[in-house]
Amino acid sequence: MTENEWMLTSVLDCRRVDLAVNKGELTPFQRSRYDQMRFRRAQGEPLQYIIGQCDFMGIPLSVDRRALIPRPETEILVDLTIEKIRAMPKKALNVLDLGVGSGNITVALLRYFTEMNVTAIDISDDALALAVKNATANNVEQRIEFLNNDMVLYMKEAIRQGEKFDVIVSNPPYIPTGQLAQLPDDVRREPRLALDGGDDGLRFYRSIIEYGWQFLTANGFLVMEIGDGQREGIEKIFAQYPQYGEIKFYKDYVGTQRIVFARLGGSWKN
Ligand code: GLN
């Protein structure tokens, strides 16, 4: 669909094929909504924020400026997580999502695994409110504990309390601070908190890798989305933590290294 078709199907609440039948006949109210959408788009606002909806793994999610727009690449992260959980001797029941954002990863995993529970952390209260909305709309909110906290503070506390998770999943902010200004217009409209990965973009990987192994269960694993060109830097961080037994990288649709998977030592054989 073209962007105009997206906006029209949203205003008319119809499918793309219906547009041809309707021939663009809009009521005055619909016309003003459509004009307003086109105006916002011309100002550089991302299309998904204007429509207020997006599809993630076939799941309809609300999106707005409170959180990052779910990306197709993150579907690869979820697919891989599902595959790895299915290969575990004991299926992962206890999952931690660090930086839950709109809730896309958590909601998709909970829709897939009916026995799973997720602890979902975000430093942004606004993002959490959106995640609660998406979880509720998809009937999985009862299996999520939402926590408004800084992920590092949370991890330290979880370790102190002896908390354990089977899986840690995260799409952390990974854009180097100095590159934020050069991002495309629409990406710059997304929350800076969801994008800014510190000086070298690796700030959150350092913390998650440092603390993660300390509260993973014996068969547990950590899986994260990574930015273009970050593989080497992330390998160096992992090299400091021999507790991870296996570390693997996976590419996205265009061949960019996009996901890192790491599990604790030991075998998954029953
Ligand atoms: N994939 C996003 C982008 O390239 C960045 C998301 C993130 O920092 N986790 O715009």
Side-chain angles (χ1 to χ4, degrees), residues 124-139:
S124 160
D125 228 351
D126 275 352
L128 273 184
L130 183 61
V132 170
K133 179 179 177 185
N134 281 321
T136 307
N138 287 288
N139 293 316

Side-chain angles (χ1 to χ4, degrees), residues 68 71 171-175 183 187 190 194-196 225 258:
L68 190 84
R71 308 284 203 266
N171 174 19
Y174 56 64
I175 310 289
L183 290 172
V187 180
E190 296 185 270
L195 296 167
D196 188 349
E225 182 169 319
R258 186 59 65 191

